[in-house]
C-alpha cells in the first residue's frame, strides 16, 4: 500500500511517500511564496525520485490542523483533488496529533503548540501511551498566558513541542513550573509522522471520502477577524 501524505498547517510545507515498509521519500520546505507554490511541485518531485506513478497510490493522508487558514485550505484541497482524480480514500489527522506523535517517547505529559499568529497559539495536551500518544483535550486556541495557566493547573511535568512553544519560550517558562521544551528539529508537524499515523487507519479501512474531509479551523480566519473588528469600530 503506497500512501502520499501532505501537511501544510504551519509555514512549512511537508510531503512524504511511503508504505508499511517505510518512508520512500520526504520533503520539508519553508518558502516565502507559500504552500500553493510548493506543495504540488513537492509531490511531483517525490514521485519522480521514487519512480512511482500517481496511479500506484492507494490513498492520501492530510493534516487537518488546526493551523494557518491559507495553508490548511491549500493542503486539504490538494489532497481532496488528488483523491478524487485517483479514486482513492483519504485519511485526515489533526496536525497537533502529528506534532505530539513526534515526541511520543517522552515520559512527561505533552503539550503540542503551534503558532496561530496575532499573539496566539493553537494547542492540545497528550499522554504518552505504548506506541504513540492519546489526546486529553480538544484543540484549543488562545494567548500564551492562557496556555501557561492551563499547564500550571495540571501540576504535571510537561514537554512543550512545536514552534508555538519556542516562540513564547520565555513567557511560558516564567509562568509555569516543570516545563521543558522539545528541540527545533520537532518544531513543525511533518508528513512522515503523518504517514506513520495514517497507515494503520488505511489498513483498518477507517478512511473518508474526499468530500467529507474538512480542516479543523478552531477560530475564524484572519480576514473574518478583521471584518468583525471593522464592524465593531463602525
Amino acid at each position: 500500500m503506497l500512501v502520499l501524505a501532505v501537511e501544510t498547517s504551519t509555514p512549512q510545507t511537508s510531503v512524504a511517500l511511503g508504505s508499511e515498509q517505510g518512508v520512500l521519500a520526504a520533503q520539508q520546505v519553508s518558502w516565502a511564496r507559500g504552500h500553493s507554490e510548493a506543495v504540488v511541485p513537492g509531490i511531483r518531485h517525490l514521485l519522480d525520485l521514487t519512480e512511482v506513478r500517481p496511479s500506484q497510490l492507494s490513498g492520501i493522508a492530510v493534516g487537518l490542523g488546526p493551523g494557518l487558514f491559507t495553508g490548511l485550505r491549500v493542503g486539504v484541497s490538494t489532497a481532496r483533488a488528488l483523491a478524487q482524480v485517483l479514486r482513492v480514500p483519504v485519511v485526515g489527522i489533526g496536525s497537533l496529533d502529528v506534532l505530539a506523535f513526534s515526541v511520543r517517547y517522552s515520559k512527561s505529559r505533552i503539550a503540542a503548540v503551534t503558532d496561530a499568529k496575532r499573539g496566539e497559539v493553537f494547542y492540545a495536551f497528550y499522554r504518552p501511551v505504548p506506541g504513540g500518544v492519546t489526546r486529553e483535550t480538544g484543540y484549543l486556541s488562545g494567548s500564551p498566558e492562557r496556555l501557561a495557566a492551563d499547564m500550571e493547573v495540571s501540576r504535571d511535568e510537561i514537554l512543550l513541542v512545536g514552534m508555538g512553544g519556542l516562540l513564547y519560550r520565555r513567557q511560558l517558562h516564567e509562568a509555569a513550573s516543570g516545563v521543558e521544551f522539545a528541540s527545533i528539529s520537532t518544531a513543525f508537524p511533518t508528513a512522515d509522522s503523518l504517514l506513520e499515523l495514517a497507515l494503520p487507519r488505511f489498513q483498518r479501512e477507517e478512511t473518508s471520502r474526499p468530500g467529507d474531509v474538512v480542516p479543523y479551523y478552531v477560530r475564524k480566519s484572519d480576514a473574518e477577524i478583521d471584518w468583525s473588528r471593522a464592524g465593531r469600530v463602525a
Side-chain angles (χ1 to χ4, degrees):
M1 172 180 288
L2 277 173
V3 172
L4 174 71
V6 178
E7 168 52 53
T8 58
S9 65
T10 68
Q12 186 180 85
T13 299
S14 181
V15 291
L17 177 66
S19 69
E20 305 93 326
Q21 298 179 350
V23 177
L24 294 178
Q27 174 179 291
Q28 283 81 239
V29 60
S30 296
W31 196 21
R33 293 187 183 182
H35 300 288
S36 60
E37 298 286 339
V39 66
V40 172
I43 292 169
R44 277 203 206 98
H45 181 59
L46 294 194
L47 294 175
D48 289 343
L49 277 178
T50 57
E51 298 183 345
V52 169
R53 299 186 304 276
S55 60
Q56 293 178 273
L57 296 175
S58 303
I60 310 294
V62 62
L64 299 180
L68 304 180
F69 184 87
T70 301
L72 285 176
R73 185 177 59 192
V74 169
V76 171
S77 63
T78 300
R80 289 172 60 170
L82 282 171
Q84 288 171 340
V85 169
L86 299 174
R87 296 183 180 181
V88 296
V90 181
V91 166
I93 295 178
S95 300
L96 290 176
D97 299 352
V98 176
L99 188 56
F101 184 74
S102 68
V103 291
R104 59 193 176 277
Y105 299 115
S106 169
K107 295 181 180 179
S108 303
R109 194 182 186 208
I110 298 166
V113 190
T114 58
D115 182 22
K117 305 298 184 181
R118 296 181 177 270
E120 294 188 336
V121 293
F122 296 118
Y123 65 98
F125 290 96
Y126 300 79
R127 291 280 181 187
V129 296
V133 295
T134 181
R135 183 159 46 85
E136 298 182 315
T137 67
Y139 302 123
L140 306 169
S141 67
S143 66
E145 290 76 18
R146 178 185 171 186
L147 169 58
D150 288 347
M151 291 191 298
E152 192 65 22
V153 166
S154 76
R155 298 187 180 278
D156 290 323
E157 291 187 354
I158 294 177
L159 175 66
L160 268 76
V161 59
M163 183 55 73
L166 295 175
L167 282 173
Y168 299 101
R169 181 172 188 148
R170 188 178 67 180
Q171 297 97 306
L172 294 170
H173 184 74
E174 291 175 352
S177 57
V179 177
E180 294 185 7
F181 294 83
S183 73
I184 192 71
S185 65
T186 54
F188 300 107
T190 59
D192 50 349
S193 289
L194 170 62
L195 178 68
E196 189 171 351
L197 279 172
L199 280 167
R201 299 195 188 187
F202 281 108
Q203 293 167 345
R204 297 192 298 266
E205 298 186 354
E206 296 174 357
T207 60
S208 301
R209 294 175 297 183
D212 295 332
V213 177
V214 294
Y216 302 138
Y217 285 125
V218 176
R219 72 173 191 191
K220 294 180 180 179
S221 69
D222 287 351
E224 290 174 307
I225 293 171
D226 288 339
W227 275 108
S228 177
R229 289 176 176 173
R232 287 199 297 271
V233 171

